[in-house]
């Protein structure tokens, strides 16, 4: 790179906006179709287990007797198969990701049977 090109790059960079973001103060806004964290509407779940069987990483556990649905957050690869295959459409992907952590994170949801009766 000759000196003229170098000077042009320096001047351009002095007046351009920074290409980086001041994370965590400025968080990124993800596009509408981002495949982020799986959410469940536990009250609509029928505990059929299809999501668990479809999950390629085995991140989802369903216990029909206990009306329990759980997900190993860092085992999920955001493929979306579970949400696509749920017959009750009670799974969805929001636009955020699970916060990083040093340990495994399992989120467990239990349906309130009394409220459904
Ligand atoms: S596929 Fe849907 S209804 Fe069936 S267990 Fe999974 S979340 Fe519940
Ligand atoms: S998005 Fe994919 S990896 Fe994550 S829980 Fe659903 S099926 Fe499993």
């Amino acid at each position: 790179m000759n000196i003229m090109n170098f000077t042009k790059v320096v001047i351009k960079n002095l007046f351009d906006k920074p290409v980086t973001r001041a994370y965590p103060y400025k968080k990124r806004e993800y596009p509408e179709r981002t495949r982020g964290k799986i959410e469940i509407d536990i009250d609509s779940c029928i505990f059929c287990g299809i999501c668990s069987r479809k999950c390629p990483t085995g991140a989802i556990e369903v216990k029909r007797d206990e009306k329990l649905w759980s997900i190993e957050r860092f085992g999920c690869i955001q493929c979306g198969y579970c949400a696509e295959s749920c017959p009750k459409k009670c799974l969805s992907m929001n636009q955020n990701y699970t916060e990083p952590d040093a340990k495994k994170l399992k989120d467990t949801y239990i349906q309130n049977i009394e409220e459904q009766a």
Side-chain angles (χ1 to χ4, degrees):
M1 183 182 286
N2 68 33
I3 190 73
M4 281 307 290
N5 286 347
F6 178 78
T7 310
K8 265 195 243 171
V9 170
V10 169
I11 291 171
K12 183 177 177 301
N13 286 342
L14 279 175
F15 296 102
D16 274 0
K17 282 186 187 171
V19 292
T20 52
R21 200 172 283 111
Y23 183 84
Y25 307 107
K26 281 191 181 173
K27 293 202 174 164
R28 186 189 189 111
E29 285 191 17
Y30 293 104
E32 194 182 326
R33 295 178 69 192
T34 298
R35 292 197 291 193
K37 194 176 164 185
I38 290 285
E39 297 285 356
I40 183 168
D41 170 12
I42 193 67
D43 291 335
S44 302
C45 179
I46 56 172
F47 302 96
C48 62
I50 291 174
C51 54
S52 174
R53 291 193 292 278
K54 289 276 183 179
C55 178
T57 62
I60 296 177
E61 185 179 23
V62 177
K63 290 185 182 169
R64 181 190 287 251
D65 294 345
E66 298 171 33
K67 303 279 182 206
L68 178 149
W69 186 95
S70 62
I71 183 166
E72 170 71 56
R73 289 292 177 193
F74 299 128
C76 175
I77 55 169
Q78 275 90 31
C79 65
Y81 287 161
C82 55
E84 276 175 27
S85 58
C86 175
K88 298 298 283 181
K89 298 292 171 219
C90 56
L91 294 177
S92 57
M93 307 192 83
N94 75 21
Q95 289 173 295
N96 298 308
Y97 294 98
T98 304
E99 293 287 319
D101 205 324
K103 55 188 183 311
K104 288 187 176 179
L105 174 66
K106 191 172 193 176
D107 282 343
T108 300
Y109 303 82
I110 298 174
Q111 196 175 71
N112 187 340
I113 303 163
E114 286 171 17
E115 269 185 19
Q116 294 255 311

